[in-house]
Amino acid sequence: MILSDYGKKLTSKSGILQLMDDLGKAMSGQTKMLMLGGGNPAVIEEMQQTWLQEWERLQHDLSDFTASLAFYDTPQGSLKWRVALAELLRHRYAMPIDERNIVLTNGSQNAFFILFNLFSGRIGTQKRKVLFPLAPEYIGYADQSLDEGVFVSHPPKIELLESPFFKYHVDFDSLHLTDDVGLICVSRPTNPSGNVLTDSELRQLLTLARQHEVPLVVDNAYGAPFPGILFTEVTPFWEPGMILSMSLSKLGLPGLRTGIIIAEPEIIDVVSSAHAVMNLAGVNLGASLTMSLIKSGQILDLAQNVIKPYYFNLRNKALAHMHEAFAGRISYQVHLPEGALFLWVKFPELRITSRELYQHLKERGVLVVPGEYFFFGSDAPNPDAHCCVRLTYSQGEEVVAQAMPILAEVVEKYC
Ligand code: PLP
């Protein structure tokens, strides 16, 4: 098989592919594993009931049902749905938007591929870059650029909090934008660390982006106002200069592949064009299934009163199980889990790499994600890359409770 350079680039990351394969097998039940890897959202009973109700409603409305399944939508996605979302965000959060500021994509992952390749890569003899102002960042960005060497990431400032917690901050003192930066991107809440950039950090990044006339992408896959998996106060906002990315996945609908991009109309136009070239049209079902929840605003209540407390409770239980298994036995630190589904745990005395730790844990039936994968975009050594792992608590208390003592035992052996 002869693959093009792009073909090789898209298929060559064997470490990550192996990891995805392990995670996929564990999720499908092919191998019996305690699943602390992956980013699948939890199946929440009350949300399941909501989706079933909405599914029934759709079944009984023949014209909506037919439109969902039997027609290609416009490149921007359902007009009715975009009008409803824009109205909701305008009325509740004073976002200055209408339907022209929104495009639906086949999952937000698909939107990142489009955005990174529209705003970075070769322009004649120049190469434009994507800057991630706070590493570690979402593993799913790592292989999204078609050109080599376009990602640049910046190490954080680390604040030590009351033991065992620490928190990352954007290190603005050393963050200097070079002329070749074409896009800035942050996830908020951040996958993997569970960090939530403060409003002031986000505003400072937006100011920097505006000064350099490049867009700031804010990946809000877990954030406010929905799905609302964040445990600290933030102001949901969008302003010109920003590209706000949202998703229906972490509401419990990852199978419907619906991403939402909010941006200025000229950006929406180019993203829609690229999306049409790649996909012809989007998946209609995500918009149809959530239409009445968006129109009534009920989606915000579900995020606030069902999803947020569900994960908050799981997070607290996971921290308690971790403390019980680790305290007095191994040295560890945890990033303050302010949002998303993860605990980002540091073992400062670990003598092996996090990838080696991953292998040893896999042999013991526990899957985690090694920290190293989240530090793309920099060759500078970062100590956290080798001694951190990402653990998800979304698969339930029982899984976490069983896995933590095994984790403690394996880490103890290699410290
Ligand atoms: N952004 C972040 C930070 C994520 O963790 C994920 C998935 O886990 C995505 C984007 C992609 O989500 P989707 O393509 O399902 O919208």
Side-chain angles (χ1 to χ4, degrees):
M1 183 163 55
I2 299 173
L3 291 178
S4 68
D5 289 351
Y6 288 150
K8 287 185 197 128
K9 167 97 179 46
L10 288 171
T11 53
S12 67
K13 303 285 179 192
S14 54
I16 288 183
L17 288 181
Q18 170 66 49
L19 179 72
M20 297 319 258
D21 195 41
D22 290 346
L23 300 179
K25 281 184 182 146
M27 283 309 284
S28 68
Q30 278 180 51
T31 51
K32 190 143 178 31
M33 284 282 176
L34 294 170
M35 180 58 159
L36 302 190
N40 214 85
V43 177
I44 304 174
E45 174 70 29
E46 206 169 332
M47 294 307 294
Q48 287 293 90
Q49 289 306 326
T50 305
W51 306 135
L52 279 172
Q53 266 169 31
E54 292 308 305
W55 182 245
E56 267 175 35
R57 184 192 53 73
L58 194 59
Q59 274 179 312
H60 290 108
D61 184 330
L62 193 60
S63 81
D64 267 4
F65 187 73
T66 308
S68 309
L69 300 182
F71 293 111
Y72 293 118
D73 216 324
T74 61
Q76 244 178 286
S78 163
L79 176 63
K80 263 196 322 194
W81 196 90
R82 286 185 288 117
V83 168
L85 181 68
E87 252 172 43
L88 183 67
L89 297 178
R90 207 168 52 236
H91 289 145
R92 296 287 184 104
Y93 304 104
M95 290 190 198
I97 58 169
D98 62 29
E99 64 282 5
R100 290 167 304 170
N101 297 94
I102 300 176
V103 56
L104 297 181
T105 61
N106 285 343
S108 59
Q109 188 75 10
N110 187 230
F112 291 112
F113 183 84
I114 292 172
L115 288 168
F116 292 165
N117 290 295
L118 287 179
F119 289 96
S120 74
R122 263 166 299 162
I123 305 180
T125 53
Q126 233 202 25
K127 196 179 257 184
R128 302 275 277 178
K129 308 267 169 86
V130 179
L131 171 70
F132 299 102
L134 197 162
E137 253 302 358
Y138 171 46
I139 194 171
Y141 301 146
D143 298 311
Q144 291 267 33
S145 71
L146 289 170
D147 270 320
E148 288 292 349
V150 298
F151 288 166
V152 188
S153 67
H154 195 70
K157 241 185 198 157
I158 301 179
E159 181 190 5
L160 284 179
L161 304 168
E162 193 181 332
S163 173
F165 296 110
F166 67 97
K167 179 172 164 59
Y168 292 141
H169 295 279
V170 179
D171 189 353
F172 285 103
D173 295 338
S174 59
L175 182 71
H176 303 295
L177 259 69
T178 46
D179 285 345
D180 57 357
V181 169
L183 190 75
I184 305 175
C185 178
V186 281
S187 60
R188 183 197 198 227
T190 307
N191 175 356
S193 59
N195 188 32
V196 174
L197 293 187
T198 61
D199 285 350
S200 118
E201 279 176 308
L202 200 57
R203 292 223 165 259
Q204 221 172 322
L205 283 177
L206 184 56
T207 304
L208 263 181
R210 282 178 177 150
Q211 280 164 357
H212 287 79
E213 297 179 0
V214 298
L216 169 68
V217 177
V218 180
D219 178 355
N220 195 30
Y222 299 90
F226 64 80
I229 313 175
L230 88 180
F231 320 120
T232 173
E233 282 306 309
V234 300
T235 317
F237 77 98
W238 176 85
E239 283 179 14
M242 220 167 127
I243 301 178
L244 184 64
S245 169
M246 299 179 68
S247 170
L248 298 186
S249 294
K250 310 301 172 181
L251 287 167
L253 300 173
L256 287 185
R257 311 308 303 129
T258 308
I260 306 152
I261 292 293
I262 300 178
E264 284 145 296
E266 54 271 37
I267 291 183
I268 296 300
D269 283 350
V270 289
V271 173
S272 309
S273 304
H275 190 257
V277 169
M278 291 168 60
N279 302 291
L280 199 55
V283 177
N284 299 346
L285 208 49
S288 310
L289 198 71
T290 51
M291 183 68 211
S292 75
L293 303 177
I294 296 280
K295 213 165 172 184
S296 65
Q298 203 192 332
I299 195 102
L300 306 182
D301 304 332
L302 287 166
Q304 192 61 27
N305 302 321
V306 177
I307 296 179
K308 183 196 286 240
Y310 183 89
Y311 283 105
F312 186 62
N313 183 34
L314 272 187
R315 177 201 83 155
N316 292 345
K317 288 190 165 143
L319 285 171
H321 286 296
M322 172 177 280
H323 184 72
E324 198 184 318
F326 292 7
R329 187 169 182 188
I330 51 175
S331 152
Y332 75 105
Q333 295 173 5
V334 191
H335 192 286
L336 193 66
E338 298 173 299
L341 326 168
F342 313 107
L343 298 181
W344 177 247
V345 190
K346 195 188 289 198
F347 302 112
E349 291 168 10
L350 196 67
R351 285 181 286 107
I352 55 175
T353 66
S354 61
R355 253 192 250 206
E356 288 164 335
L357 179 63
Y358 163 79
Q359 284 300 343
H360 292 300
L361 286 168
K362 190 173 133 186
E363 282 157 24
R364 295 288 309 275
V366 175
L367 275 187
V368 302
V369 183
E372 283 155 65
Y373 292 122
F374 300 92
F375 290 85
F376 50 88
S378 170
D379 294 329
N382 186 320
D384 285 10
H386 295 291
C387 64
C388 287
V389 290
R390 191 194 75 179
L391 315 177
T392 179
Y393 48 81
S394 66
Q395 298 309 301
E397 184 186 359
E398 194 49 43
V399 174
V400 174
Q402 284 182 46
M404 288 299 179
I406 304 174
L407 194 56
E409 199 184 312
V410 175
V411 170
E412 189 175 33
K413 196 166 159 196
Y414 295 102
C415 279

